[in-house]
Amino acid sequence: MHALHQVAHAFFNPHSFTLAMPDVWAGFQVNLKMMVIAEALVLVFALGLAIVRGLPGPAAKPLRALAIAYTDFFRGTPIIIVAFFVGFGLPGLQLGYISQLSFITYGVITLTLVYTAYVTEVYRAGIESVHASQRAAARSLGLTYMQAMRYVIVPQAVRRVIPPLLNDFVGLQKDTAIVYVIGVTEAASLAQQFSTKNGDFASYFVAAVFFILITIPLARFTDHLVAIRERRERAQAF
Amino acid sequence: MSPAATSSLDPGSSFVHVRGVSKWFGSLQVLKQIDLDVGEHTVVCLIGASGSGKSTLLRCLNLLEHVEEGDIVVDGQPLTNGKVDVNAVRKKIGIVFQAYNLFPHMTVLQNVTLGPRKALGVSRDNAESYARALLRRIGLEEKADEYPDRLSGGQQQRVAIVRALAMGPKLMLLDEITSALDPQLVTDVLALVRELAESGMTMILATHEMGFAREVADKVCFLDAGRILEEGPPAQIFSDPREPRTREFLARVLEAEKLA
């Protein structure tokens, strides 16, 4: 009983919880900002990279190879290492503008670099899942390769990959806490500061609650989309 | 240039002029030295077993398949000299597929107007009013704002034909367009094709509908293992085929139709 009481006191002390709330909330707004900007950038860059990876013909081979190298590197490297590269490496280069950005910007760059690699693969799977006959139909109307992608292939691909894409975004949202290692003042770092000051861990719990509160609706929304699609596909089978 | 070489590239009076076209899928040769002439405003039917090369030949004609050997000239324009603008060629050649291949994320109207708007640069208003007129002609105007999955197979296939027609093609390629349809849905689709034939559209059809081929074709070509084994007017091919393989094929098809 005593141990349980201790845990409850250290992690869930209501008084500390209330005290920590404003600090952690201030930090969490930084997380929110980073996730929204990074997600928007990832959506655009990943689509571009997925299309480059699918370009046909020998002329596009170097481009395809670059795209593959990119995804291999950033999917294989732990995000904390990428954060060090960006957050310490870029300022260390003393390259003028690019070395004088804010911590938050370096955080956004880190998240965008890493998650672009993941989401590229998601888009690519979606593009490849659209049957070749759709492209043939589009090209037979005289549409160019890029027009066929834009009006016929990509819209169908994107609809199909929304669930796995949102899944990756849940990961991105949580990883906004990791970039605290390069000096971004956000929910996790402020929770840590508060914990040190206050001598208990309720602030961590506050931070966890914030993250969970935005993840749950996204997860339920993803489930909902999957359910709709399954219903529609069952309907089509008959 | 020798006279022979000149004549082999001279499209003469034919609208579609195919000489010595061969095509391989890996090590499998699917087309073997195909020669074919299609006059303007005529209908040619390709018959033959599945895998005989009918679909591949049609797909070569609008360059959906790469032609490895031989020459194709359509409307005086060589398609196989490597300098051709494939998109420009396809704007003049409509193709309709066995599986319709409508765009499932677009309404019927969007399906029909996509090509004219994006490939031909027709304004949205003009493309839509022309599309609606075409849909009215086939009795599907009230389906304009439906998605393809709300339509029957026969309706989808007629929309696919209209989608190709909306480009104002000079040649239509129909690739077994009734093969995926329930028998009772075939009639409407064939009626539309008949109407097209009567309006003077130049068409090449790959088909298993022998009765229909006999009725609309000006010329029937029997394909066997990638070759045009025999060609001639439908009356001759169907009543008095010269080649044993043709006779065999037709007998088998007739037998199957009796059983059906």
Side-chain angles (χ1 to χ4, degrees):
Chain A
M1 269 322 277
H2 179 70
L4 208 65
H5 182 76
Q6 236 182 354
V7 169
H9 190 76
F11 287 94
F12 308 115
N13 183 340
H15 181 64
S16 300
F17 194 94
T18 321
L19 274 181
M21 190 81 98
D23 273 15
V24 180
W25 170 243
F28 191 67
Q29 286 172 311
V30 173
N31 295 80
L32 283 174
K33 192 170 153 189
M34 287 193 293
M35 58 183 81
V36 169
I37 298 172
E39 282 170 356
L41 293 174
V42 165
L43 280 179
V44 177
F45 291 149
L47 182 57
L49 213 57
I51 289 173
V52 165
R53 236 193 119 158
L55 284 176
K61 199 172 177 187
L63 284 174
R64 285 198 299 269
L66 275 178
I68 291 170
Y70 178 91
T71 47
D72 281 352
F73 183 82
F74 284 104
R75 273 204 312 175
T77 312
I79 188 166
I80 197 162
I81 309 266
V82 179
F84 290 152
F85 266 124
V86 173
F88 301 144
L90 291 185
L93 287 177
Q94 301 187 324
L95 275 174
Y97 177 72
I98 202 157
S99 299
Q100 289 157 18
L101 300 167
S102 69
F103 290 138
I104 295 181
T105 307
Y106 289 130
V108 169
I109 291 173
T110 301
L111 292 162
T112 306
L113 284 172
V114 171
Y115 278 88
T116 292
Y118 287 112
V119 174
T120 296
E121 292 303 296
V122 169
Y123 274 130
R124 196 167 71 95
I127 287 170
E128 284 174 3
S129 77
V130 178
H131 198 269
S133 63
Q134 285 287 310
R135 184 165 315 177
R139 298 301 305 272
S140 77
L141 292 172
L143 299 185
T144 63
Y145 178 86
M146 285 315 271
Q147 283 177 324
M149 286 302 270
R150 177 169 168 198
Y151 298 111
V152 176
I153 309 299
V154 169
Q156 294 185 60
V158 167
R159 277 174 178 75
R160 287 178 201 192
V161 300
I162 286 172
L165 196 143
L166 292 182
N167 209 30
D168 276 347
F169 277 2
V170 170
L172 186 153
Q173 293 177 351
K174 292 190 298 178
D175 279 352
T176 56
I178 280 187
V179 298
Y180 123 78
V181 299
I182 56 170
V184 180
T185 307
E186 46 70 70
S189 62
L190 287 174
Q192 193 192 27
Q193 281 170 28
F194 189 90
S195 165
T196 315
K197 201 170 65 192
N198 209 45
D200 66 10
F201 311 111
S203 54
Y204 292 143
F205 189 60
V206 175
V209 167
F210 282 135
F211 280 102
I212 291 168
L213 279 181
I214 59 156
T215 303
I216 288 175
L218 195 56
R220 289 300 92 80
F221 181 60
T222 308
D223 295 344
H224 175 66
L225 289 177
V226 172
I228 288 182
R229 230 190 86 199
E230 276 177 1
R231 237 189 347 260
R232 192 173 301 153
E233 280 173 3
R234 260 202 308 276
Q236 266 174 3
F238 293 100
Chain B
M1 207 184 268
S2 73
T6 315
S7 73
S8 83
L9 283 172
D10 174 19
S13 60
S14 63
F15 188 75
V16 178
H17 179 82
V18 178
R19 282 297 173 275
V21 164
S22 293
K23 165 91 193 156
W24 287 261
F25 288 134
S27 60
L28 178 72
Q29 189 171 5
V30 285
L31 293 178
K32 297 170 185 162
Q33 294 290 317
I34 297 278
D35 293 343
L36 177 68
D37 286 286
V38 181
E40 198 165 9
H41 311 302
T42 65
V43 176
V44 169
C45 283
L46 310 176
I47 62 169
S50 299
S52 58
K54 307 186 296 292
S55 293
T56 308
L57 177 55
L58 289 183
R59 292 168 67 91
C60 284
L61 286 174
N62 77 344
L63 303 176
L64 281 177
E65 298 288 353
H66 177 68
V67 178
E68 277 135 351
E69 205 179 285
D71 295 296
I72 299 175
V73 180
V74 174
D75 195 16
Q77 184 180 18
L79 307 191
T80 39
N81 62 4
K83 282 176 265 173
V84 69
D85 174 358
V86 292
N87 298 318
V89 168
R90 289 176 182 146
K91 287 170 196 171
K92 294 198 295 185
I93 304 177
I95 186 165
V96 184
F97 305 92
Q98 179 175 344
Y100 339 131
N101 301 3
L102 293 180
F103 307 129
H105 61 299
M106 293 184 183
T107 64
V108 165
L109 193 66
Q110 289 167 337
N111 263 279
V112 177
T113 54
L114 179 69
R117 287 180 60 199
K118 302 304 173 190
L120 300 179
V122 176
S123 76
R124 187 196 184 109
D125 283 352
N126 288 343
E128 288 190 350
S129 63
Y130 186 50
R132 283 185 194 280
L134 287 171
L135 289 169
R136 195 176 311 131
R137 237 176 71 191
I138 60 166
L140 289 177
E141 200 198 5
E142 78 281 8
K143 303 284 187 193
D145 299 314
E146 297 274 15
Y147 285 87
D149 62 357
R150 308 287 298 169
L151 274 59
S152 76
Q155 291 172 333
Q156 290 191 49
Q157 193 57 295
R158 284 186 288 149
V159 170
I161 295 173
V162 160
R163 177 174 71 179
L165 287 177
M167 297 291 291
K170 301 184 80 173
L171 170 67
M172 286 282 279
L173 310 171
L174 309 183
D175 187 4
E176 296 190 25
I177 60 168
T178 56
S179 297
L181 295 177
D182 292 337
Q184 74 270 21
L185 300 176
V186 169
T187 327
D188 286 346
V189 173
L190 292 186
L192 176 56
V193 177
R194 190 178 295 121
E195 199 186 310
L196 278 179
E198 282 161 5
S199 74
M201 177 65 76
T202 310
M203 288 194 285
I204 307 177
L205 289 69
T207 185
H208 288 300
E209 306 277 346
M210 297 303 153
F212 185 70
R214 183 173 203 144
E215 180 199 333
V216 299
D218 298 292
K219 178 162 79 177
V220 175
C221 300
F222 172 65
L223 272 81
D224 182 66
R227 279 199 180 80
I228 294 183
L229 207 58
E230 181 167 3
E231 63 174 87
Q236 182 253 310
I237 296 286
F238 289 114
S239 312
D240 184 24
R242 281 186 307 267
E243 297 288 333
R245 297 280 299 155
T246 317
R247 243 173 280 155
E248 208 177 291
F249 171 75
L250 289 172
R252 263 187 292 134
V253 171
L254 278 176
E255 192 61 34
E257 277 174 4
K258 261 185 246 160
L259 290 172

